[in-house]
C-alpha cells in the first residue's frame, strides 16, 4: 500500500516536470516571432537608415544607387490605393450587406459564401494573371494604373467583404427589431441603424485590406508594372510603378548599394503600413466611443 | 379606385426596396464573376498551351526550360521546388503556431493574451517583399555560418522565413478551434485528476482536431502560393532536386521571372505562366476547400 502511494507521487512529480518543460517550450515558441520581428526591423533599419533623407523621397529612380529615389513608386502606390478603394469599398460593403441582411439560407448564398472564402485564399499572383488576361489584354487597358488598381481591388474584395460581414453581424438583433417596430423598412433600418453601428468594424477592415493591397508585389509585377519609371503618371491610363515593385527591383540587383536603397524603401513602406494600422485603431476607438 | 396616400407610399417603398436588394445582390455576385474570370482566363490560355505542348511533355518530362532554345516543359522541377520551400515553411509554422495557440488559449492570463495576440498577428501583415529581403540579406548569411556549403540562393532560408510569416495564420485559427472546445470537457478532465497538460493532450487537442487541421491546411495553401519571398531568396534555377542548399525555382517564382521580361502576348512563353498558374490555382483551391469544410464543421457544433 505504502509502495503504491510512492509510485503515484513520483508519477505526479514527473507529470509536473513535463508540464514545466512544456511551458518553457511554449514560452520559447511565443518569443521567437517577437525576436524575429525585432531582428527584421533592426536589420532593415541599420541597412537603410543612412539612405533615408528628403532627396530619397523626392528623386526619381536612377541607374546610380546614390542618387536614386522613390518619388514615382510612392506616387504610384498612392494613386493605386485611392483607385483600389474607389472600386473595392462600395462593392465590398454592398456584398456584405446582401449576404448578412438579404440572403436567406439558400443554396446560392452558401455557394457565394464558399466562393468568397476560397477567393480570400487564392494566391495574389493568380489575381495578377487574372488582371493580365482580363484587364491588360482583353479589355485593352494596357499596363496602366487603372489595370493595376482593378486587379488589386479584386484581390482586396474578399477581405473587405469578410471584415464587413463580421462588423454587420455584431450589431445586436434587438436594434433591428426596434427599428422595424417603429415602422422602418429594411433598407431604412440598414441605412440608419446597421451601417452606422458597424462602421468602426467596416472601416478598420477596409484600411487593413488596403494596407495589405498596397504592400502586394506579385500581382503588380504580373500585370506588367514597370521597374524603372522616371516620370509621374498623368492619367489613370499611364504606365506606373509601385513601391514594393521598386524595392523588389533593387533587391534583385547584385550590387549592394542598391540593397541599401531597398532597405530604405522598406522603411518607408513599413512606416506607411504602421500609419495605416494606427489610423485603423484610432478610428475604431473614436467611433466606438461615439456610438456608445 | 384612387390609391390612398399610404398605399402609394407603400408601393414606392416596395419598389425602392426591390431596387436596392437587386443592386446589393449584384455586388455579391461580383465575387462569383471574379472566380469565373479566373477560371476562364486560366482555362483559355492553358488550352492554348496544351495545343502546342502535349500532356506527356508537361507531366512526364523532368526538365523545365521553356526560355531556352532547347525547350522542355516538364513541370516537376517547379513543383518540387514549391514542395521543398512549402515543406520548410510548414515544419517551422506548424509546431510554432500550435504551441503559440495552446499557450494563448490555455496558459496565458487574459491580459497577456490581449497584448500578445495582436503582436503575433503583425507578422502576417508585413509585406512579403520585406520578408524576401530579410531572407536574402539576413537569414541566408546567418544559416551559412552553420551550413557552410549553403548557396546564396536556396530553398531552406526562404522556406523558414515563409514559415514565420505563416505562423500567425496557424496560431490564430488553431486558437479559435481550441477556444471553441466547451469548458465542461476541460473541467471534467481536471475534476478527474488530470493535469492541464494531459487535458490538452487527451481531451482538448483531439476535440479541436478538425479546426487545427484546417489551420495547417490553410497554411500549406499560403506557402504554395507565396511568391515574393521565394522569388527573391530561392533563386531562378528550375533544377529537380531535394537538396535544400542549392538554388531552385518555384511555380510562383517562374511566373514572376517571365513577367519581368517583356514576353509578347500569344507566344508559348506567355502561355506557360498561365499553365503553371492553373496548376497553382487547382492545388491551392483544393486545400482552401478542405480547410473551409473543416472549419464549417466547428461552427456547426460537432460536440
Amino acid at each position: 500500500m505504502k509502495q503504491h502511494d510512492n509510485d503515484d507521487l513520483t508519477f505526479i512529480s514527473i507529470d509536473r516536470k513535463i508540464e514545466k518543460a512544456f511551458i518553457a517550450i511554449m514560452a520559447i515558441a511565443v518569443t521567437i516571432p517577437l525576436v524575429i520581428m525585432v531582428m527584421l526591423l533592426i536589420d532593415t533599419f541599420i541597412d537603410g537608415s543612412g539612405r533615408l533623407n528628403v532627396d530619397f523621397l523626392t528623386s526619381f529612380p536612377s541607374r546610380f544607387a546614390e542618387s536614386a529615389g522613390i518619388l514615382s513608386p510612392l506616387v504610384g502606390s498612392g494613386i493605386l490605393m485611392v483607385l483600389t478603394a474607389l472600386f473595392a469599398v462600395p462593392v465590398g460593403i454592398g456584398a456584405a450587406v446582401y449576404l448578412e441582411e438579404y440572403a436567406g439560407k439558400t443554396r446560392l448564398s452558401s455557394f457565394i459564401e464558399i466562393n468568397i472564402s476560397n477567393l480570400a485564399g487564392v494566391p495574389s499572383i493568380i489575381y495578377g494573371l487574372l488582371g493580365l488576361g482580363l484587364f491588360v489584354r482583353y479589355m485593352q487597358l494596357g499596363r496602366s494604373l487603372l489595370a493595376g488598381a482593378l486587379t488589386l481591388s479584386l484581390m482586396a474584395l474578399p477581405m473587405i467583404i469578410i471584415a464587413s460581414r463580421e462588423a454587420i453581424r455584431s450589431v445586436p438583433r434587438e436594434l433591428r427589431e426596434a427599428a422595424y417596430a417603429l415602422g422602418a423598412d429594411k433598407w431604412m433600418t440598414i441605412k440608419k441603424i446597421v451601417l452606422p453601428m458597424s462602421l468602426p468594424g467596416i472601416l478598420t477592415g477596409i484600411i487593413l485590406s488596403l494596407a495589405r493591397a498596397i504592400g502586394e508585389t506579385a500581382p503588380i509585377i504580373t500585370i506588367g508594372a514597370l521597374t524603372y519609371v522616371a516620370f509621374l503618371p498623368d492619367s489613370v491610363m499611364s504606365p506606373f510603378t509601385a513601391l514594393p515593385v521598386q524595392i523588389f527591383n533593387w533587391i534583385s540587383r547584385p550590387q549592394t548599394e542598391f540593397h541599401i536603397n531597398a532597405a530604405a524603401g522598406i522603411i518607408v513602406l513599413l512606416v506607411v503600413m504602421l500609419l495605416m494600422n494606427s489610423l485603423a485603431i484610432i478610428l475604431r476607438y473614436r467611433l466606438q466611443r461615439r456610438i456608445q | 379606385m384612387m390609391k390612398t396616400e399610404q398605399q402609394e407610399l407603400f408601393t414606392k417603398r416596395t419598389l425602392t426596396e426591390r431596387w436596392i436588394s437587386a443592386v446589393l445582390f449584384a455586388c455579391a455576385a461580383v465575387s462569383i464573376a471574379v472566380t469565373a474570370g479566373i477560371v476562364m482566363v486560366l482555362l483559355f490560355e492553358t488550352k492554348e498551351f496544351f495545343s502546342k505542348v502535349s500532356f506527356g511533355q508537361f507531366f512526364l518530362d523532368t526538365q523545365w526550360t521553356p526560355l531556352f532554345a532547347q525547350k522542355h516543359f516538364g513541370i516537376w522541377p517547379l513543383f518540387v521546388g514549391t514542395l521543398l520551400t512549402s515543406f520548410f515553411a510548414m515544419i517551422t509554422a506548424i509546431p510554432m503556431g500550435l504551441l503559440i495557440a495552446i499557450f494563448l488559449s490555455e496558459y496565458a492570463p487574459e491580459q497577456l493574451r490581449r497584448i500578445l495576440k495582436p503582436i503575433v498577428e503583425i507578422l502576417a501583415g508585413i509585406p512579403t517583399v520585406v520578408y524576401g529581403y530579410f531572407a536574402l540579406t539576413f537569414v541566408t548569411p546567418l544559416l551559412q555560418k552553420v551550413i557552410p556549403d549553403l548557396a546564396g540562393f536556396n530553398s531552406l532560408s526562404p522556406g523558414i522565413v515563409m514559415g514565420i510569416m505563416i505562423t500567425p495564420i496557424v496560431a490564430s485559427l488553431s486558437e479559435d478551434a481550441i477556444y471553441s472546445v466547451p469548458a465542461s470537457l476541460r473541467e471534467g478532465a481536471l475534476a478527474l485528476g488530470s493535469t492541464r497538460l494531459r487535458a490538452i493532450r487527451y481531451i482538448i487537442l483531439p476535440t479541436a482536431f478538425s479546426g487545427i487541421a484546417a489551420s495547417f491546411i490553410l497554411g500549406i495553401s499560403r506557402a504554395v502560393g507565396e511568391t515574393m519571398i521565394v522569388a527573391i531568396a530561392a533563386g531562378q534555377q528550375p533544377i529537380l532536386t531535394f537538396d535544400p542548399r542549392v538554388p531552385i525555382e518555384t511555380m510562383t517564382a517562374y511566373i514572376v521571372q517571365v513577367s519581368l521580361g517583356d514576353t509578347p502576348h500569344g507566344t508559348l512563353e506567355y502561355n506557360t505562366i498561365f499553365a503553371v498558374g492553373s496548376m497553382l490555382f487547382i492545388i491551392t483551391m483544393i486545400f482552401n476547400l478542405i480547410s473551409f469544410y473543416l472549419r464549417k464543421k466547428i461552427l456547426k457544433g460537432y460536440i
Side-chain angles (χ1 to χ4, degrees), chain B residues 13-35:
Chain B
R13 270 190 176 187
T14 330
L15 264 179
T16 338
E17 194 67 20
R18 267 199 205 146
W19 257 104
I20 284 163
S21 79
V23 170
L24 293 177
F25 174 73
C27 289
V30 168
S31 73
I32 296 178
V34 174
T35 306

Side-chain angles (χ1 to χ4, degrees), chain B:
Chain B
M1 199 175 95
M2 282 282 288
K3 274 188 181 173
T4 65
E5 208 173 309
Q6 257 185 340
Q7 272 175 325
E8 227 170 285
L9 184 69
F10 190 72
T11 358
K12 211 178 121 198
R13 270 190 176 187
T14 330
L15 264 179
T16 338
E17 194 67 20
R18 267 199 205 146
W19 257 104
I20 284 163
S21 79
V23 170
L24 293 177
F25 174 73
C27 289
V30 168
S31 73
I32 296 178
V34 174
T35 306
I38 292 174
V39 171
M40 263 153 55
V41 166
L42 290 179
L43 212 60
F44 180 75
E45 300 284 351
T46 307
K47 218 181 80 197
E48 199 88 334
F49 174 78
F50 280 116
S51 70
K52 297 170 197 160
V53 175
S54 73
F55 277 103
Q57 280 173 287
F58 191 67
F59 288 111
L60 298 177
D61 200 336
T62 55
Q63 277 183 294
W64 177 262
T65 56
L67 306 178
F68 296 143
Q70 189 73 33
K71 290 185 193 310
H72 285 275
F73 296 97
I75 188 71
W76 289 106
L78 298 184
F79 185 77
V80 169
T82 299
L83 203 69
L84 261 183
T85 50
S86 305
F87 173 75
F88 290 122
M90 293 326 286
I91 58 171
T92 310
I94 286 182
M96 216 152 74
L98 190 55
L99 284 169
I100 292 174
I102 296 173
F103 180 74
L104 288 182
S105 54
E106 296 292 321
Y107 286 91
E110 184 58 31
Q111 266 177 324
L112 186 65
R113 179 173 172 269
R114 234 183 280 161
I115 300 168
L116 277 179
K117 212 179 167 183
I119 294 179
V120 172
E121 267 161 20
I122 290 175
L123 279 174
I126 294 177
T128 52
V129 71
V130 179
Y131 280 113
Y133 177 83
F134 184 62
L136 183 71
T137 65
F138 189 83
V139 177
T140 299
L142 196 70
L143 287 173
Q144 274 169 336
K145 285 183 188 147
V146 191
I147 312 165
D149 47 356
L150 187 76
F153 296 108
N154 58 73
S155 52
L156 183 63
S157 157
I160 293 172
V161 172
M162 204 150 80
I164 292 159
M165 184 197 79
I166 292 169
T167 297
I169 298 165
V170 174
S172 166
L173 285 177
S174 294
E175 203 217 336
D176 289 345
I178 294 172
Y179 219 76
S180 71
V181 173
S184 57
L185 285 183
R186 184 178 297 114
E187 281 153 13
L190 296 178
L192 288 173
S194 157
T195 58
R196 273 204 292 190
L197 188 58
R198 277 169 188 266
I200 292 168
R201 164 75 181 77
Y202 293 103
I203 306 292
I204 293 165
L205 290 187
T207 315
F209 177 75
S210 60
I212 292 169
S215 80
F216 293 172
I217 291 167
L218 200 69
I220 297 172
S221 165
R222 256 331 129 77
V224 169
E226 171 41 43
T227 308
M228 294 324 289
I229 302 174
V230 286
I232 290 169
Q236 295 184 337
Q237 291 175 37
I239 306 163
L240 186 59
T241 175
F242 285 96
D243 187 345
R245 296 166 303 178
V246 298
I248 46 115
E249 183 163 48
T250 65
M251 297 195 277
T252 49
Y254 173 74
I255 299 177
V256 168
Q257 186 194 358
V258 173
S259 304
L260 284 173
D262 203 22
T263 312
H265 174 55
T267 58
L268 190 52
E269 287 86 347
Y270 178 78
N271 294 141
T272 54
I273 60 173
F274 289 92
V276 173
S278 298
M279 286 277 294
L280 201 60
F281 181 65
I282 292 169
I283 296 170
T284 52
M285 192 176 71
I286 292 171
F287 284 134
N288 290 344
L289 289 180
I290 297 174
S291 171
F292 179 81
Y293 283 111
L294 285 173
R295 266 179 293 156
K296 265 275 127 131
K297 228 168 120 186
I298 316 174
L299 294 181
K300 273 189 188 150
Y302 53 98
I303 304 155

Side-chain angles (χ1 to χ4, degrees), chain A residues 84-96 99 115-117 119-120 127 130 149-165 205-206 209-210 212-213, chain B residues 26-35:
Chain A
T84 302
L86 225 55
F87 301 134
V89 169
V91 177
I93 296 179
L99 289 172
N115 183 46
I116 289 171
S117 160
L119 279 180
Y127 285 98
L130 171 67
L150 284 169
T151 307
L152 286 184
S153 56
L154 295 189
M155 198 198 77
L157 195 59
M159 288 188 275
I160 294 179
I161 295 176
I162 292 170
S164 305
R165 284 186 70 179
I206 288 171
S209 310
L210 287 178
R212 186 70 63 92
Chain B
C27 289
V30 168
S31 73
I32 296 178
V34 174
T35 306

